[in-house]
């Protein structure tokens, strides 16, 4: 278990190592092709050192990797796009923690996101007013300008649901997330209406886990599972804490959380039942 940036380096290095092997090259041969010492290739592949996006491009060219989607993903993991331009969240780099920036970079390239939330609506499904109230509570007295900027970031993240192709989002929400009145009845009513609208999108699946289910496998805390379009080797589980995020990359962890999410979906209301449930909660709000 490691924190985000270290996980990203290791995952990037492991994928580059696999691509080198697929190209039939030894590390020394790859180093000669790009004009490096073998030790540099080894450090990159083991995740002991970072790598510039331009250097990732050089390696991918040497390995004759033509898959544009995979190339883009690996360059993003290295930190910026193939022209050296930073991604949108870098404009907030003085505000965002490295773990949060890492989370956004993974979210921006994932093809599938599975998430369990126990107490609040997931960030990708929040209205601006709801997001502001949640952010203000989490930041504990932060200046209004800082809160506003963090809300901007949260709303900008939602573009992944409008991209082409959009992120496939599956969310299981504990009933508490719908019953907790955030920002007052009007804010909560608008948030629940927004949830109903989002739940009807073809790439969004929302299920509510009602109180009647009792204790469940997700009761210990929320989590997110990211899956990627070109390789499952980059899949990762994210556990969010108050001051940091923990990234799990071992196959055993991925399997355990995937099985837990499957179990939660089985015990939760169906998407159709969830729409009715949210409508009832909105009426009560």
């Amino acid at each position: 278990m490691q924190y985000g940036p270290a996980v990203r380096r290791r995952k990037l290095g492991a994928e580059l190592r696999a691509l080198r092997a697929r190209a039939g090259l030894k590390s020394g041969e790859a180093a000669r092709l790009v004009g490096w010492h073998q030790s540099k290739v080894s450090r990159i592949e083991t995740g002991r050192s970072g790598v510039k996006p331009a250097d990732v491009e050089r390696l991918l060219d040497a390995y004759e990797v033509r898959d544009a989607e995979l190339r883009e993903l690996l360059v993003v993991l290295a930190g910026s796009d193939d022209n050296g331009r930073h991604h949108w969240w870098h404009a907030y780099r003085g505000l965002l923690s490295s773990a949060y920036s890492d989370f956004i970079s993974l979210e921006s390239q994932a093809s599938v996101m599975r998430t369990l939330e126990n107490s609040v609506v997931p960030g990708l499904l929040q209205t601006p007013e709801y997001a502001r109230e949640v952010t203000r509570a989490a930041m504990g007295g932060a200046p209004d300008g800082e809160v506003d900027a963090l809300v901007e970031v949260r709303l900008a993240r939602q573009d992944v649901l409008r991209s082409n192709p959009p992120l496939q989002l599956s969310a299981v929400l504990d009933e508490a997330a719908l019953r907790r009145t955030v920002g007052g009845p009007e804010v909560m009513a608008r948030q629940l209406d927004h949830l109903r609208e989002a739940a009807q999108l073809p790439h969004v699946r929302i299920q509510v886990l009602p109180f009647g289910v009792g204790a469940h496998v997700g009761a210990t805390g929320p989590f997110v599972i990211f899956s990627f379009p070109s390789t499952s080797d980059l899949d990762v589980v994210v556990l969010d804490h108050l001051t940091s995020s923990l990234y799990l990359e071992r196959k055993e962890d991925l399997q355990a959380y995937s099985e837990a999410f499957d179990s939660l979906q089985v015990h939760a209301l169906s998407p159709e039942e969830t729409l009715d449930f949210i409508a009832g909660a909105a009426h009560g709000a």
Side-chain angles (χ1 to χ4, degrees):
M1 296 187 295
Q2 296 190 15
Y3 289 96
V7 168
R8 183 166 62 180
R9 286 196 303 271
R10 273 182 50 173
K11 285 184 172 293
L12 175 59
E15 186 64 20
L16 290 172
R17 182 170 62 251
L19 291 171
R20 172 179 59 74
R22 197 176 306 162
L25 297 170
K26 295 182 179 179
S27 60
E29 294 171 328
R32 283 193 295 274
L33 282 175
V34 295
W36 299 343
H37 292 294
Q38 181 179 355
S39 61
K40 180 174 180 177
V41 173
S42 297
R43 289 195 305 272
I44 291 171
E45 291 185 351
T46 57
R48 294 199 304 271
S49 67
V51 55
K52 296 178 181 178
D55 287 343
V56 171
E57 291 282 1
R58 292 177 67 184
L59 290 173
L60 295 177
D61 288 342
Y63 305 157
E64 298 184 356
V65 176
R66 302 288 180 253
D67 186 329
E69 205 169 52
L70 177 58
R71 289 179 70 102
E72 181 181 2
L73 172 59
L74 296 180
V75 169
V76 165
L77 288 178
S80 64
D81 66 24
D82 55 357
N83 293 315
R85 295 188 299 268
H86 290 306
H87 293 275
W88 65 262
W89 55 90
H90 285 271
Y92 299 89
R93 60 186 176 274
L95 179 68
L96 306 180
S97 67
S98 59
Y100 192 18
S101 295
D102 211 55
F103 181 93
I104 296 173
S105 72
L106 294 173
E107 183 179 70
S108 72
Q109 289 298 311
S111 58
V112 177
M113 176 178 175
R114 290 169 286 170
T115 181
L116 166 72
E117 279 290 355
N118 287 333
S119 60
V120 296
V121 171
L124 293 184
L125 301 173
Q126 293 178 4
T127 64
E129 298 84 5
Y130 185 98
R132 181 166 287 103
E133 293 298 327
V134 170
T135 302
R136 183 178 290 118
M139 294 301 294
D144 288 344
E146 186 173 339
V147 171
D148 290 344
L150 288 170
V151 171
E152 287 179 11
V153 170
R154 183 156 302 189
L155 298 180
R157 285 173 46 204
Q158 297 176 2
D159 283 345
V160 296
L161 296 177
R162 297 182 286 269
S163 60
N164 186 23
L167 176 73
Q168 299 291 317
L169 174 64
S170 292
V172 174
L173 280 61
D174 192 283
E175 182 177 344
L178 306 184
R179 299 298 184 191
R180 187 182 308 281
T181 303
V182 174
E186 291 185 4
V187 170
M188 198 64 202
R190 285 194 293 270
Q191 176 60 71
L192 293 175
D193 285 343
H194 180 68
L195 265 185
R196 290 179 65 203
E197 294 172 4
Q200 297 178 65
L201 295 173
H203 54 282
V204 175
R205 178 187 178 96
I206 301 175
Q207 293 177 257
V208 169
L209 200 63
F211 289 145
V213 169
H216 55 80
V217 67
T220 55
F223 61 85
V224 173
I225 306 172
F226 286 126
S227 298
F228 296 89
S230 299
T231 173
S232 62
D233 291 339
L234 294 172
D235 291 0
V236 63
V237 176
V238 185
L239 308 179
D240 204 20
H241 302 297
L242 181 62
T243 58
S244 65
S245 295
L246 188 63
Y247 290 66
L248 310 180
E249 59 175 328
R250 296 187 311 164
K251 289 184 178 180
E252 306 95 294
D253 294 323
L254 288 165
Q255 181 176 349
Y257 278 90
S258 292
E259 291 175 353
F261 192 81
D262 290 344
S263 174
L264 291 166
Q265 286 189 308
V266 168
H267 289 92
L269 300 177
S270 70
E272 296 74 23
E273 292 169 330
T274 291
L275 281 173
D276 293 337
F277 191 95
I278 296 173
H283 183 74

